[in-house]
Amino acid sequence: MPQKERWGHPYPDTRDWSIYNERLVRRGEFYLSLDFLAQWDDLLARMNAGKRGRPFQYPEPFIAWMACIHVFLQMPYRQMEGFVRKLATFIPGFTVADYTTLFRRIQRLDLSLTVTPELLAGDVIIAADSTGIKVTNRGEWLREKWRVRRGWIKLHAMIDVETNQVLGLEVTDESVQDDRMFVPLLDQVPQHCGEEHPVFRVLGDGAYDRNELFNALEQRKILAGIKTRVDAATHSTGSPYRAECVRDRNRLGGYRLWAWITTYGMRWKIEGNFSSIKRIFGEGVRATSREGMFCEIRMKVNAYNVLMAMVA
């Protein structure tokens, strides 16, 4: 069957390619963003003020930058020491950090989400979903031959569909269902948006079609853009708000018009986010311990948020 008959007319590409190309080029500037060098001494003085024991030798922004290098370039810690050693030959007074120090300091970094609320719209529309992250690079043939199954990690997230910033993040193993992480993610979003950027609507697929999730949205006065089942009850079975949403969908004549009014089609933005994170940082993790894997994923998402703020 010809592609036109199946999918209709192709989506018109109206993007400004000069702006789009410039945003991609600016991403490369992030690798050598050495703004912290000008404040090196001041930062260390503040960190060591009143500190007991051995003083810090490297400021926190430098460690955060090295963590980004670690996840962006997928560089092992010993290679990172060589990277800094060579960089020091071009920058007078730059102190070389050994790989042990880098490992310990990076593991102790504050991994809470880095969000730029100034870029958010007045009424924020967020999308919720999850994706799997591989914990090993072993091929399918080896897994099939030796019956070795290590599972995967699940990355649960809520994003702003306008700026693509991740506003809520939870990392679990594969056994945790998506709906169980919905409320914890929703609780994180106002902390990063602030009072000036209230959440207007939440978009989610059928995995979030649960009474308690609709009730949580109603309590927070947030509109639901969650896809309900085709045969969902129109009377209250534990959530009057869900029943109201189902009646509204039926009143509109079904899914197509409901999706247009609720902007449900924007939910694809979170799928694009997951794809971008995996293409930039890889589909798996290099860490071997459970805690290390979770930390590595949080570092990647934080670096992605910083990247989105740079190209906004």
Side-chain angles (χ1 to χ4, degrees):
M1 180 183 296
Q3 185 175 0
K4 263 191 177 180
E5 294 181 13
R6 181 176 181 184
W7 301 108
H9 295 287
Y11 181 78
D13 189 355
T14 58
R15 81 183 77 183
D16 188 328
W17 278 94
S18 61
I19 297 177
Y20 179 74
N21 290 336
E22 179 60 24
R23 288 178 176 177
L24 295 181
V25 170
R26 286 178 58 191
R27 289 186 182 184
E29 300 176 2
F30 180 78
Y31 298 124
L32 289 177
S33 180
L34 305 176
D35 299 334
F36 55 84
L37 290 175
Q39 303 176 350
W40 187 285
D41 294 333
D42 294 337
L43 292 170
L44 279 181
R46 287 199 296 267
M47 290 177 63
N48 291 321
K51 184 182 184 300
R52 299 181 63 182
R54 183 179 181 183
F56 289 109
Q57 294 180 301
Y58 310 101
E60 201 74 1
F62 166 70
I63 301 299
W65 179 68
M66 291 305 302
C68 291
I69 294 296
H70 176 60
V71 295
F72 267 113
L73 304 182
Q74 300 185 24
M75 189 180 295
Y77 287 99
R78 288 177 175 84
Q79 292 183 20
M80 288 169 63
E81 179 181 346
F83 176 83
V84 177
R85 185 186 302 171
K86 191 63 176 179
L87 187 64
T89 62
F90 302 100
I91 304 175
F94 190 76
T95 308
V96 179
D98 61 272
Y99 68 89
T100 304
T101 301
L102 291 174
F103 174 79
R104 290 174 178 172
R105 291 286 302 275
I106 288 175
Q107 296 303 311
R108 298 171 186 170
L109 275 176
D110 180 14
L111 296 178
S112 54
L113 279 175
T114 303
V115 179
T116 308
E118 294 80 11
L119 301 177
L120 300 174
D123 292 327
V124 179
I125 299 178
I126 60 179
D129 206 349
S130 69
T131 187
I133 305 293
K134 295 191 297 185
V135 300
T136 177
N137 288 326
R138 295 169 64 93
E140 294 292 336
W141 182 85
L142 286 176
R143 284 196 289 269
E144 190 68 24
K145 177 176 177 59
W146 301 109
R147 307 298 180 187
V148 176
R149 183 182 182 278
R150 296 190 60 188
W152 63 88
I153 298 173
K154 288 185 76 172
L155 165 60
H156 307 261
M158 283 187 175
I159 71 158
D160 171 39
V161 298
E162 291 294 332
T163 64
N164 294 327
Q165 293 187 94
V166 180
L167 304 179
L169 172 66
E170 291 288 344
V171 186
T172 66
D173 58 37
E174 59 181 297
S175 63
V176 179
Q177 297 179 356
D178 293 0
D179 59 296
R180 289 178 54 190
M181 291 293 103
F182 184 87
V183 174
L185 290 172
L186 193 62
D187 291 339
Q188 296 179 28
V189 174
Q191 302 173 13
H192 300 120
C193 293
E195 297 180 356
E196 299 178 354
H197 307 279
V199 179
F200 175 70
R201 189 188 302 274
V202 176
L203 309 176
D205 58 18
Y208 301 102
D209 183 16
R210 300 289 187 272
N211 288 336
E212 55 271 19
L213 306 189
F214 278 89
N215 292 337
L217 292 176
E218 184 181 24
Q219 292 173 2
R220 293 164 172 79
K221 298 180 180 180
I222 300 174
L223 296 179
I226 297 176
K227 186 177 181 180
T228 53
R229 295 191 299 273
V230 176
D231 58 348
T234 56
H235 57 277
S236 176
T237 57
S239 175
Y241 181 51
R242 178 178 180 271
E244 180 185 346
C245 292
V246 174
R247 291 194 297 269
D248 290 341
R249 183 201 64 190
N250 294 343
R251 194 179 303 117
L252 293 171
Y255 167 77
R256 186 178 294 274
L257 186 56
W258 169 86
W260 182 77
I261 291 177
T262 60
T263 64
Y264 180 76
M266 296 299 291
R267 197 194 66 82
W268 71 267
K269 281 292 194 73
I270 194 167
E271 304 285 357
N273 266 36
F274 290 150
S275 176
S276 296
I277 290 173
K278 291 180 179 180
R279 283 186 284 111
I280 296 172
F281 303 104
E283 297 184 358
V285 291
R286 301 176 64 89
T288 55
S289 67
R290 175 188 172 94
E291 293 76 14
M293 293 176 186
F294 286 12
C295 289
E296 183 177 337
I297 293 176
R298 288 185 175 276
M299 284 192 291
K300 290 180 177 181
V301 175
N302 258 336
Y304 181 78
N305 269 5
V306 173
L307 204 60
M308 291 299 101
M310 285 187 62
V311 301

